[in-house]
Amino acid sequence: MSTDVFHAIADPTRRSILVLIAEQAMTPGSIAGNFDASRQAVSKHIKILLKSNLLKQEKIGREILYHLNPDKMTEVNVWLDQLKVKWEQRFSQLDIVLTNLNANQNENKHYDHEFLGRKGKQKNKGGKGI
């Protein structure tokens, strides 16, 4: 039975293992050497990553090497791309709102300046302001 990819990457230790293995294939011992956790704890994380098909294992002689499965990472990337499109749409809408808000503020400043200019001219002509 496979484990959900998102469950597998929910744990920071498993994400760190994926980053390590993305650089190069590693043995369980070399993976465990990068963490303060026990080998058994790291082994449990590796099993979850294997069940989610994020890792592939290759047996070479007496050693087992773990490799990243880029095809499974594509599943994560596709899901993130959907969110990215929605975020970009929202940021575009926010840009429009902010541009309109800024234009309205500039227009109001122009009217205020124009109004104050008239007020000052009237003061100078008659000695009395509005």
Side-chain angles (χ1 to χ4, degrees), residues 77-121:
N77 196 34
V78 167
W79 185 79
L80 287 174
D81 280 345
Q82 292 172 357
L83 289 178
K84 185 178 174 185
V85 167
K86 290 182 184 201
W87 291 336
E88 286 175 356
Q89 288 171 345
R90 288 185 176 187
F91 282 128
S92 293
Q93 291 171 342
L94 181 60
D95 279 343
I96 291 169
V97 168
L98 291 174
T99 299
N100 289 338
L101 184 64
N102 193 26
N104 286 341
Q105 284 179 339
N106 287 338
E107 190 173 306
N108 287 340
K109 282 181 184 176
H110 173 74
Y111 288 130
D112 288 345
H113 181 73
E114 193 172 287
F115 175 75
L116 291 174
R118 282 189 204 154
K119 191 175 175 182
K121 285 180 184 175

mmCIF file of all heavy atoms in Angstrom, residues 77-121:
data_model
loop_
_atom_site.group_PDB
_atom_site.id
_atom_site.type_symbol
_atom_site.label_atom_id
_atom_site.label_comp_id
_atom_site.label_asym_id
_atom_site.label_seq_id
_atom_site.Cartn_x
_atom_site.Cartn_y
_atom_site.Cartn_z
ATOM 1 N N ASN A 77 4.882 18.926 -7.897
ATOM 2 C CA ASN A 77 5.056 20.140 -8.693
ATOM 3 C C ASN A 77 3.771 20.532 -9.427
ATOM 4 O O ASN A 77 3.415 21.713 -9.489
ATOM 5 C CB ASN A 77 6.212 19.959 -9.682
ATOM 6 C CG ASN A 77 6.687 21.258 -10.240
ATOM 7 O OD1 ASN A 77 6.670 22.270 -9.557
ATOM 8 N ND2 ASN A 77 7.106 21.230 -11.480
ATOM 9 N N VAL A 78 3.052 19.554 -9.961
ATOM 10 C CA VAL A 78 1.787 19.829 -10.662
ATOM 11 C C VAL A 78 0.788 20.455 -9.692
ATOM 12 O O VAL A 78 0.107 21.432 -10.022
ATOM 13 C CB VAL A 78 1.217 18.536 -11.290
ATOM 14 C CG1 VAL A 78 -0.228 18.717 -11.735
ATOM 15 C CG2 VAL A 78 2.093 18.092 -12.453
ATOM 16 N N TRP A 79 0.718 19.914 -8.498
ATOM 17 C CA TRP A 79 -0.213 20.447 -7.496
ATOM 18 C C TRP A 79 0.168 21.880 -7.116
ATOM 19 O O TRP A 79 -0.687 22.763 -7.021
ATOM 20 C CB TRP A 79 -0.216 19.553 -6.253
ATOM 21 C CG TRP A 79 -1.219 19.967 -5.239
ATOM 22 C CD1 TRP A 79 -2.562 19.712 -5.265
ATOM 23 C CD2 TRP A 79 -0.962 20.729 -4.067
ATOM 24 N NE1 TRP A 79 -3.152 20.267 -4.169
ATOM 25 C CE2 TRP A 79 -2.203 20.900 -3.410
ATOM 26 C CE3 TRP A 79 0.176 21.277 -3.503
ATOM 27 C CZ2 TRP A 79 -2.309 21.605 -2.221
ATOM 28 C CZ3 TRP A 79 0.059 21.975 -2.321
ATOM 29 C CH2 TRP A 79 -1.174 22.127 -1.697
ATOM 30 N N LEU A 80 1.479 22.107 -6.924
ATOM 31 C CA LEU A 80 1.937 23.458 -6.567
ATOM 32 C C LEU A 80 1.695 24.453 -7.701
ATOM 33 O O LEU A 80 1.370 25.613 -7.453
ATOM 34 C CB LEU A 80 3.420 23.434 -6.193
ATOM 35 C CG LEU A 80 3.751 22.805 -4.853
ATOM 36 C CD1 LEU A 80 5.257 22.701 -4.677
ATOM 37 C CD2 LEU A 80 3.139 23.603 -3.712
ATOM 38 N N ASP A 81 1.851 23.988 -8.947
ATOM 39 C CA ASP A 81 1.607 24.876 -10.085
ATOM 40 C C ASP A 81 0.161 25.364 -10.121
ATOM 41 O O ASP A 81 -0.117 26.500 -10.509
ATOM 42 C CB ASP A 81 1.958 24.182 -11.403
ATOM 43 C CG ASP A 81 3.447 24.194 -11.673
ATOM 44 O OD1 ASP A 81 4.184 24.959 -11.006
ATOM 45 O OD2 ASP A 81 3.891 23.435 -12.564
ATOM 46 N N GLN A 82 -0.786 24.506 -9.724
ATOM 47 C CA GLN A 82 -2.192 24.926 -9.672
ATOM 48 C C GLN A 82 -2.365 26.077 -8.689
ATOM 49 O O GLN A 82 -3.070 27.041 -8.970
ATOM 50 C CB GLN A 82 -3.082 23.757 -9.242
ATOM 51 C CG GLN A 82 -3.163 22.650 -10.244
ATOM 52 C CD GLN A 82 -3.899 21.438 -9.680
ATOM 53 O OE1 GLN A 82 -4.306 21.410 -8.523
ATOM 54 N NE2 GLN A 82 -4.079 20.434 -10.510
ATOM 55 N N LEU A 83 -1.727 25.953 -7.535
ATOM 56 C CA LEU A 83 -1.812 27.036 -6.543
ATOM 57 C C LEU A 83 -1.113 28.292 -7.048
ATOM 58 O O LEU A 83 -1.596 29.402 -6.834
ATOM 59 C CB LEU A 83 -1.184 26.611 -5.223
ATOM 60 C CG LEU A 83 -1.948 25.589 -4.414
ATOM 61 C CD1 LEU A 83 -1.182 25.234 -3.155
ATOM 62 C CD2 LEU A 83 -3.326 26.102 -4.062
ATOM 63 N N LYS A 84 0.016 28.093 -7.711
ATOM 64 C CA LYS A 84 0.782 29.232 -8.217
ATOM 65 C C LYS A 84 -0.056 30.056 -9.188
ATOM 66 O O LYS A 84 -0.038 31.290 -9.132
ATOM 67 C CB LYS A 84 2.057 28.726 -8.899
ATOM 68 C CG LYS A 84 2.991 29.800 -9.345
ATOM 69 C CD LYS A 84 4.232 29.190 -9.960
ATOM 70 C CE LYS A 84 5.110 30.271 -10.541
ATOM 71 N NZ LYS A 84 6.259 29.709 -11.246
ATOM 72 N N VAL A 85 -0.807 29.386 -10.055
ATOM 73 C CA VAL A 85 -1.673 30.098 -11.009
ATOM 74 C C VAL A 85 -2.709 30.930 -10.257
ATOM 75 O O VAL A 85 -2.939 32.092 -10.580
ATOM 76 C CB VAL A 85 -2.362 29.084 -11.970
ATOM 77 C CG1 VAL A 85 -3.483 29.744 -12.745
ATOM 78 C CG2 VAL A 85 -1.341 28.478 -12.913
ATOM 79 N N LYS A 86 -3.319 30.337 -9.230
ATOM 80 C CA LYS A 86 -4.327 31.078 -8.455
ATOM 81 C C LYS A 86 -3.704 32.258 -7.715
ATOM 82 O O LYS A 86 -4.279 33.335 -7.648
ATOM 83 C CB LYS A 86 -5.039 30.136 -7.482
ATOM 84 C CG LYS A 86 -5.922 29.160 -8.194
ATOM 85 C CD LYS A 86 -6.668 28.273 -7.257
ATOM 86 C CE LYS A 86 -7.439 27.283 -8.119
ATOM 87 N NZ LYS A 86 -8.537 26.678 -7.488
ATOM 88 N N TRP A 87 -2.506 32.058 -7.136
ATOM 89 C CA TRP A 87 -1.844 33.158 -6.429
ATOM 90 C C TRP A 87 -1.517 34.289 -7.400
ATOM 91 O O TRP A 87 -1.694 35.461 -7.078
ATOM 92 C CB TRP A 87 -0.550 32.693 -5.770
ATOM 93 C CG TRP A 87 -0.720 31.758 -4.623
ATOM 94 C CD1 TRP A 87 -1.811 31.609 -3.826
ATOM 95 C CD2 TRP A 87 0.245 30.827 -4.140
ATOM 96 N NE1 TRP A 87 -1.584 30.643 -2.882
ATOM 97 C CE2 TRP A 87 -0.331 30.149 -3.051
ATOM 98 C CE3 TRP A 87 1.527 30.499 -4.524
ATOM 99 C CZ2 TRP A 87 0.337 29.167 -2.340
ATOM 100 C CZ3 TRP A 87 2.193 29.527 -3.811
ATOM 101 C CH2 TRP A 87 1.603 28.870 -2.733
ATOM 102 N N GLU A 88 -1.028 33.927 -8.587
ATOM 103 C CA GLU A 88 -0.671 34.950 -9.565
ATOM 104 C C GLU A 88 -1.907 35.739 -10.014
ATOM 105 O O GLU A 88 -1.823 36.944 -10.224
ATOM 106 C CB GLU A 88 0.045 34.313 -10.755
ATOM 107 C CG GLU A 88 1.462 33.906 -10.394
ATOM 108 C CD GLU A 88 2.182 33.160 -11.504
ATOM 109 O OE1 GLU A 88 1.564 32.878 -12.550
ATOM 110 O OE2 GLU A 88 3.366 32.858 -11.313
ATOM 111 N N GLN A 89 -3.052 35.047 -10.151
ATOM 112 C CA GLN A 89 -4.295 35.747 -10.493
ATOM 113 C C GLN A 89 -4.670 36.744 -9.396
ATOM 114 O O GLN A 89 -5.053 37.873 -9.675
ATOM 115 C CB GLN A 89 -5.436 34.749 -10.693
ATOM 116 C CG GLN A 89 -5.330 33.944 -11.962
ATOM 117 C CD GLN A 89 -6.356 32.828 -12.019
ATOM 118 O OE1 GLN A 89 -6.972 32.467 -11.016
ATOM 119 N NE2 GLN A 89 -6.528 32.256 -13.205
ATOM 120 N N ARG A 90 -4.558 36.303 -8.158
ATOM 121 C CA ARG A 90 -4.898 37.192 -7.039
ATOM 122 C C ARG A 90 -3.927 38.374 -6.944
ATOM 123 O O ARG A 90 -4.340 39.493 -6.675
ATOM 124 C CB ARG A 90 -4.920 36.422 -5.722
ATOM 125 C CG ARG A 90 -6.105 35.518 -5.635
ATOM 126 C CD ARG A 90 -6.187 34.866 -4.311
ATOM 127 N NE ARG A 90 -7.413 34.074 -4.265
ATOM 128 C CZ ARG A 90 -7.847 33.481 -3.199
ATOM 129 N NH1 ARG A 90 -7.190 33.572 -2.087
ATOM 130 N NH2 ARG A 90 -8.946 32.782 -3.218
ATOM 131 N N PHE A 91 -2.656 38.128 -7.173
ATOM 132 C CA PHE A 91 -1.695 39.234 -7.148
ATOM 133 C C PHE A 91 -1.959 40.210 -8.289
ATOM 134 O O PHE A 91 -1.822 41.419 -8.117
ATOM 135 C CB PHE A 91 -0.250 38.722 -7.204
ATOM 136 C CG PHE A 91 0.255 38.193 -5.892
ATOM 137 C CD1 PHE A 91 0.811 36.943 -5.812
ATOM 138 C CD2 PHE A 91 0.168 38.955 -4.733
ATOM 139 C CE1 PHE A 91 1.275 36.445 -4.603
ATOM 140 C CE2 PHE A 91 0.623 38.475 -3.524
ATOM 141 C CZ PHE A 91 1.181 37.212 -3.457
ATOM 142 N N SER A 92 -2.369 39.689 -9.448
ATOM 143 C CA SER A 92 -2.701 40.574 -10.561
ATOM 144 C C SER A 92 -3.908 41.447 -10.202
ATOM 145 O O SER A 92 -3.926 42.641 -10.499
ATOM 146 C CB SER A 92 -3.018 39.764 -11.824
ATOM 147 O OG SER A 92 -1.858 39.118 -12.269
ATOM 148 N N GLN A 93 -4.912 40.837 -9.572
ATOM 149 C CA GLN A 93 -6.088 41.603 -9.138
ATOM 150 C C GLN A 93 -5.685 42.655 -8.102
ATOM 151 O O GLN A 93 -6.167 43.785 -8.132
ATOM 152 C CB GLN A 93 -7.155 40.669 -8.566
ATOM 153 C CG GLN A 93 -7.802 39.794 -9.604
ATOM 154 C CD GLN A 93 -8.706 38.734 -8.986
ATOM 155 O OE1 GLN A 93 -8.601 38.432 -7.807
ATOM 156 N NE2 GLN A 93 -9.579 38.174 -9.807
ATOM 157 N N LEU A 94 -4.804 42.289 -7.187
ATOM 158 C CA LEU A 94 -4.337 43.229 -6.174
ATOM 159 C C LEU A 94 -3.566 44.382 -6.826
ATOM 160 O O LEU A 94 -3.721 45.541 -6.426
ATOM 161 C CB LEU A 94 -3.453 42.510 -5.150
ATOM 162 C CG LEU A 94 -2.906 43.354 -4.008
ATOM 163 C CD1 LEU A 94 -4.048 43.957 -3.183
ATOM 164 C CD2 LEU A 94 -1.998 42.513 -3.115
ATOM 165 N N ASP A 95 -2.760 44.070 -7.847
ATOM 166 C CA ASP A 95 -2.033 45.123 -8.573
ATOM 167 C C ASP A 95 -3.003 46.130 -9.185
ATOM 168 O O ASP A 95 -2.774 47.337 -9.123
ATOM 169 C CB ASP A 95 -1.175 44.519 -9.691
ATOM 170 C CG ASP A 95 0.140 43.971 -9.189
ATOM 171 O OD1 ASP A 95 0.537 44.322 -8.059
ATOM 172 O OD2 ASP A 95 0.760 43.200 -9.935
ATOM 173 N N ILE A 96 -4.092 45.633 -9.759
ATOM 174 C CA ILE A 96 -5.088 46.511 -10.379
ATOM 175 C C ILE A 96 -5.727 47.405 -9.319
ATOM 176 O O ILE A 96 -5.865 48.621 -9.508
ATOM 177 C CB ILE A 96 -6.156 45.673 -11.133
ATOM 178 C CG1 ILE A 96 -5.517 45.011 -12.350
ATOM 179 C CG2 ILE A 96 -7.346 46.539 -11.527
ATOM 180 C CD1 ILE A 96 -6.389 43.957 -13.008
ATOM 181 N N VAL A 97 -6.106 46.822 -8.191
ATOM 182 C CA VAL A 97 -6.729 47.591 -7.105
ATOM 183 C C VAL A 97 -5.758 48.661 -6.598
ATOM 184 O O VAL A 97 -6.136 49.827 -6.416
ATOM 185 C CB VAL A 97 -7.169 46.653 -5.950
ATOM 186 C CG1 VAL A 97 -7.547 47.450 -4.719
ATOM 187 C CG2 VAL A 97 -8.324 45.780 -6.390
ATOM 188 N N LEU A 98 -4.503 48.288 -6.381
ATOM 189 C CA LEU A 98 -3.523 49.252 -5.869
ATOM 190 C C LEU A 98 -3.222 50.350 -6.891
ATOM 191 O O LEU A 98 -3.059 51.519 -6.518
ATOM 192 C CB LEU A 98 -2.236 48.535 -5.467
ATOM 193 C CG LEU A 98 -2.355 47.625 -4.241
ATOM 194 C CD1 LEU A 98 -1.057 46.845 -4.030
ATOM 195 C CD2 LEU A 98 -2.724 48.413 -3.000
ATOM 196 N N THR A 99 -3.172 49.994 -8.164
ATOM 197 C CA THR A 99 -2.943 50.992 -9.206
ATOM 198 C C THR A 99 -4.098 51.985 -9.245
ATOM 199 O O THR A 99 -3.884 53.207 -9.313
ATOM 200 C CB THR A 99 -2.782 50.303 -10.578
ATOM 201 O OG1 THR A 99 -1.656 49.434 -10.520
ATOM 202 C CG2 THR A 99 -2.585 51.315 -11.686
ATOM 203 N N ASN A 100 -5.337 51.489 -9.181
ATOM 204 C CA ASN A 100 -6.513 52.366 -9.169
ATOM 205 C C ASN A 100 -6.542 53.236 -7.918
ATOM 206 O O ASN A 100 -6.860 54.426 -7.984
ATOM 207 C CB ASN A 100 -7.804 51.552 -9.267
ATOM 208 C CG ASN A 100 -7.990 50.955 -10.639
ATOM 209 O OD1 ASN A 100 -7.414 51.429 -11.624
ATOM 210 N ND2 ASN A 100 -8.764 49.895 -10.719
ATOM 211 N N LEU A 101 -6.204 52.659 -6.779
ATOM 212 C CA LEU A 101 -6.180 53.402 -5.521
ATOM 213 C C LEU A 101 -5.137 54.515 -5.587
ATOM 214 O O LEU A 101 -5.408 55.659 -5.194
ATOM 215 C CB LEU A 101 -5.878 52.458 -4.360
ATOM 216 C CG LEU A 101 -5.898 53.032 -2.961
ATOM 217 C CD1 LEU A 101 -7.299 53.519 -2.605
ATOM 218 C CD2 LEU A 101 -5.450 51.975 -1.958
ATOM 219 N N ASN A 102 -3.976 54.207 -6.121
ATOM 220 C CA ASN A 102 -2.909 55.199 -6.254
ATOM 221 C C ASN A 102 -3.319 56.311 -7.219
ATOM 222 O O ASN A 102 -3.069 57.501 -6.961
ATOM 223 C CB ASN A 102 -1.621 54.520 -6.723
ATOM 224 C CG ASN A 102 -0.406 55.397 -6.595
ATOM 225 O OD1 ASN A 102 -0.382 56.287 -5.754
ATOM 226 N ND2 ASN A 102 0.593 55.129 -7.402
ATOM 227 N N ALA A 103 -3.976 55.940 -8.317
ATOM 228 C CA ALA A 103 -4.434 56.939 -9.286
ATOM 229 C C ALA A 103 -5.465 57.863 -8.646
ATOM 230 O O ALA A 103 -5.439 59.084 -8.841
ATOM 231 C CB ALA A 103 -5.020 56.249 -10.518
ATOM 232 N N ASN A 104 -6.379 57.295 -7.847
ATOM 233 C CA ASN A 104 -7.394 58.108 -7.168
ATOM 234 C C ASN A 104 -6.757 59.056 -6.152
ATOM 235 O O ASN A 104 -7.176 60.206 -6.023
ATOM 236 C CB ASN A 104 -8.421 57.214 -6.466
ATOM 237 C CG ASN A 104 -9.360 56.554 -7.441
ATOM 238 O OD1 ASN A 104 -9.496 57.009 -8.583
ATOM 239 N ND2 ASN A 104 -9.990 55.486 -7.021
ATOM 240 N N GLN A 105 -5.731 58.584 -5.445
ATOM 241 C CA GLN A 105 -5.056 59.452 -4.475
ATOM 242 C C GLN A 105 -4.346 60.597 -5.174
ATOM 243 O O GLN A 105 -4.386 61.742 -4.709
ATOM 244 C CB GLN A 105 -4.052 58.634 -3.651
ATOM 245 C CG GLN A 105 -4.707 57.771 -2.601
ATOM 246 C CD GLN A 105 -3.686 56.951 -1.825
ATOM 247 O OE1 GLN A 105 -2.572 56.721 -2.288
ATOM 248 N NE2 GLN A 105 -4.093 56.495 -0.648
ATOM 249 N N ASN A 106 -3.705 60.299 -6.302
ATOM 250 C CA ASN A 106 -3.032 61.361 -7.054
ATOM 251 C C ASN A 106 -4.025 62.385 -7.592
ATOM 252 O O ASN A 106 -3.766 63.579 -7.590
ATOM 253 C CB ASN A 106 -2.206 60.762 -8.203
ATOM 254 C CG ASN A 106 -0.964 60.069 -7.705
ATOM 255 O OD1 ASN A 106 -0.484 60.359 -6.609
ATOM 256 N ND2 ASN A 106 -0.446 59.144 -8.489
ATOM 257 N N GLU A 107 -5.184 61.889 -8.029
ATOM 258 C CA GLU A 107 -6.224 62.783 -8.534
ATOM 259 C C GLU A 107 -6.752 63.687 -7.411
ATOM 260 O O GLU A 107 -6.930 64.886 -7.594
ATOM 261 C CB GLU A 107 -7.371 61.947 -9.123
ATOM 262 C CG GLU A 107 -8.383 62.742 -9.892
ATOM 263 C CD GLU A 107 -9.370 61.822 -10.571
ATOM 264 O OE1 GLU A 107 -8.924 60.925 -11.299
ATOM 265 O OE2 GLU A 107 -10.570 62.010 -10.354
ATOM 266 N N ASN A 108 -6.937 63.100 -6.226
ATOM 267 C CA ASN A 108 -7.402 63.895 -5.086
ATOM 268 C C ASN A 108 -6.371 64.937 -4.670
ATOM 269 O O ASN A 108 -6.725 66.057 -4.315
ATOM 270 C CB ASN A 108 -7.732 62.977 -3.897
ATOM 271 C CG ASN A 108 -9.006 62.195 -4.114
ATOM 272 O OD1 ASN A 108 -9.838 62.579 -4.947
ATOM 273 N ND2 ASN A 108 -9.166 61.106 -3.399
ATOM 274 N N LYS A 109 -5.081 64.586 -4.736
ATOM 275 C CA LYS A 109 -4.028 65.549 -4.412
ATOM 276 C C LYS A 109 -4.058 66.710 -5.392
ATOM 277 O O LYS A 109 -3.893 67.868 -5.024
ATOM 278 C CB LYS A 109 -2.647 64.876 -4.456
ATOM 279 C CG LYS A 109 -2.328 64.041 -3.265
ATOM 280 C CD LYS A 109 -0.934 63.442 -3.398
ATOM 281 C CE LYS A 109 -0.649 62.508 -2.245
ATOM 282 N NZ LYS A 109 0.647 61.847 -2.414
ATOM 283 N N HIS A 110 -4.296 66.392 -6.666
ATOM 284 C CA HIS A 110 -4.363 67.426 -7.688
ATOM 285 C C HIS A 110 -5.520 68.392 -7.396
ATOM 286 O O HIS A 110 -5.362 69.606 -7.433
ATOM 287 C CB HIS A 110 -4.527 66.787 -9.072
ATOM 288 C CG HIS A 110 -4.761 67.765 -10.171
ATOM 289 N ND1 HIS A 110 -3.737 68.560 -10.665
ATOM 290 C CD2 HIS A 110 -5.875 68.099 -10.851
ATOM 291 C CE1 HIS A 110 -4.227 69.333 -11.606
ATOM 292 N NE2 HIS A 110 -5.530 69.068 -11.755
ATOM 293 N N TYR A 111 -6.700 67.830 -7.057
ATOM 294 C CA TYR A 111 -7.849 68.670 -6.742
ATOM 295 C C TYR A 111 -7.610 69.491 -5.482
ATOM 296 O O TYR A 111 -7.975 70.659 -5.411
ATOM 297 C CB TYR A 111 -9.125 67.831 -6.595
ATOM 298 C CG TYR A 111 -9.632 67.293 -7.906
ATOM 299 C CD1 TYR A 111 -9.947 65.958 -8.048
ATOM 300 C CD2 TYR A 111 -9.801 68.131 -9.003
ATOM 301 C CE1 TYR A 111 -10.411 65.451 -9.245
ATOM 302 C CE2 TYR A 111 -10.261 67.640 -10.205
ATOM 303 C CZ TYR A 111 -10.560 66.304 -10.319
ATOM 304 O OH TYR A 111 -11.018 65.828 -11.506
ATOM 305 N N ASP A 112 -7.013 68.881 -4.459
ATOM 306 C CA ASP A 112 -6.710 69.603 -3.229
ATOM 307 C C ASP A 112 -5.759 70.762 -3.506
ATOM 308 O O ASP A 112 -5.948 71.872 -3.010
ATOM 309 C CB ASP A 112 -6.084 68.671 -2.182
ATOM 310 C CG ASP A 112 -7.080 67.696 -1.589
ATOM 311 O OD1 ASP A 112 -8.300 67.905 -1.766
ATOM 312 O OD2 ASP A 112 -6.626 66.723 -0.954
ATOM 313 N N HIS A 113 -4.725 70.501 -4.300
ATOM 314 C CA HIS A 113 -3.755 71.543 -4.639
ATOM 315 C C HIS A 113 -4.431 72.669 -5.423
ATOM 316 O O HIS A 113 -4.210 73.849 -5.147
ATOM 317 C CB HIS A 113 -2.615 70.923 -5.457
ATOM 318 C CG HIS A 113 -1.562 71.904 -5.835
ATOM 319 N ND1 HIS A 113 -0.665 72.406 -4.915
ATOM 320 C CD2 HIS A 113 -1.272 72.480 -7.019
ATOM 321 C CE1 HIS A 113 0.139 73.249 -5.528
ATOM 322 N NE2 HIS A 113 -0.200 73.308 -6.815
ATOM 323 N N GLU A 114 -5.293 72.277 -6.354
ATOM 324 C CA GLU A 114 -6.019 73.268 -7.160
ATOM 325 C C GLU A 114 -6.947 74.096 -6.264
ATOM 326 O O GLU A 114 -7.017 75.317 -6.372
ATOM 327 C CB GLU A 114 -6.840 72.540 -8.235
ATOM 328 C CG GLU A 114 -7.385 73.431 -9.313
ATOM 329 C CD GLU A 114 -7.998 72.597 -10.407
ATOM 330 O OE1 GLU A 114 -7.237 71.974 -11.171
ATOM 331 O OE2 GLU A 114 -9.246 72.572 -10.472
ATOM 332 N N PHE A 115 -7.648 73.432 -5.351
ATOM 333 C CA PHE A 115 -8.566 74.110 -4.449
ATOM 334 C C PHE A 115 -7.808 75.077 -3.532
ATOM 335 O O PHE A 115 -8.203 76.226 -3.354
ATOM 336 C CB PHE A 115 -9.343 73.077 -3.614
ATOM 337 C CG PHE A 115 -10.234 73.693 -2.581
ATOM 338 C CD1 PHE A 115 -11.423 74.300 -2.945
ATOM 339 C CD2 PHE A 115 -9.875 73.690 -1.235
ATOM 340 C CE1 PHE A 115 -12.243 74.881 -1.986
ATOM 341 C CE2 PHE A 115 -10.689 74.263 -0.282
ATOM 342 C CZ PHE A 115 -11.879 74.863 -0.659
ATOM 343 N N LEU A 116 -6.690 74.637 -2.987
ATOM 344 C CA LEU A 116 -5.901 75.497 -2.105
ATOM 345 C C LEU A 116 -5.308 76.673 -2.870
ATOM 346 O O LEU A 116 -5.172 77.773 -2.333
ATOM 347 C CB LEU A 116 -4.790 74.689 -1.425
ATOM 348 C CG LEU A 116 -5.280 73.662 -0.400
ATOM 349 C CD1 LEU A 116 -4.126 72.813 0.095
ATOM 350 C CD2 LEU A 116 -5.993 74.356 0.756
ATOM 351 N N GLY A 117 -4.962 76.431 -4.157
ATOM 352 C CA GLY A 117 -4.441 77.517 -4.987
ATOM 353 C C GLY A 117 -5.485 78.602 -5.188
ATOM 354 O O GLY A 117 -5.202 79.797 -5.078
ATOM 355 N N ARG A 118 -6.732 78.233 -5.448
ATOM 356 C CA ARG A 118 -7.813 79.217 -5.612
ATOM 357 C C ARG A 118 -8.059 79.967 -4.311
ATOM 358 O O ARG A 118 -8.250 81.164 -4.297
ATOM 359 C CB ARG A 118 -9.114 78.508 -6.025
ATOM 360 C CG ARG A 118 -9.166 78.136 -7.440
ATOM 361 C CD ARG A 118 -10.546 77.652 -7.777
ATOM 362 N NE ARG A 118 -10.457 76.795 -8.939
ATOM 363 C CZ ARG A 118 -11.292 75.853 -9.235
ATOM 364 N NH1 ARG A 118 -12.327 75.613 -8.437
ATOM 365 N NH2 ARG A 118 -11.155 75.137 -10.303
ATOM 366 N N LYS A 119 -8.032 79.223 -3.222
ATOM 367 C CA LYS A 119 -8.286 79.821 -1.917
ATOM 368 C C LYS A 119 -7.233 80.892 -1.610
ATOM 369 O O LYS A 119 -7.543 81.975 -1.132
ATOM 370 C CB LYS A 119 -8.270 78.720 -0.858
ATOM 371 C CG LYS A 119 -8.767 79.124 0.467
ATOM 372 C CD LYS A 119 -8.821 77.905 1.371
ATOM 373 C CE LYS A 119 -9.206 78.311 2.765
ATOM 374 N NZ LYS A 119 -9.213 77.169 3.670
ATOM 375 N N GLY A 120 -5.979 80.586 -1.945
ATOM 376 C CA GLY A 120 -4.901 81.540 -1.710
ATOM 377 C C GLY A 120 -5.040 82.774 -2.585
ATOM 378 O O GLY A 120 -4.812 83.899 -2.140
ATOM 379 N N LYS A 121 -5.463 82.621 -3.851
ATOM 380 C CA LYS A 121 -5.631 83.760 -4.749
ATOM 381 C C LYS A 121 -6.744 84.672 -4.243
ATOM 382 O O LYS A 121 -6.648 85.881 -4.286
ATOM 383 C CB LYS A 121 -5.957 83.280 -6.174
ATOM 384 C CG LYS A 121 -4.759 82.719 -6.897
ATOM 385 C CD LYS A 121 -5.143 82.265 -8.283
ATOM 386 C CE LYS A 121 -3.932 81.625 -8.951
ATOM 387 N NZ LYS A 121 -4.273 81.063 -10.251
#
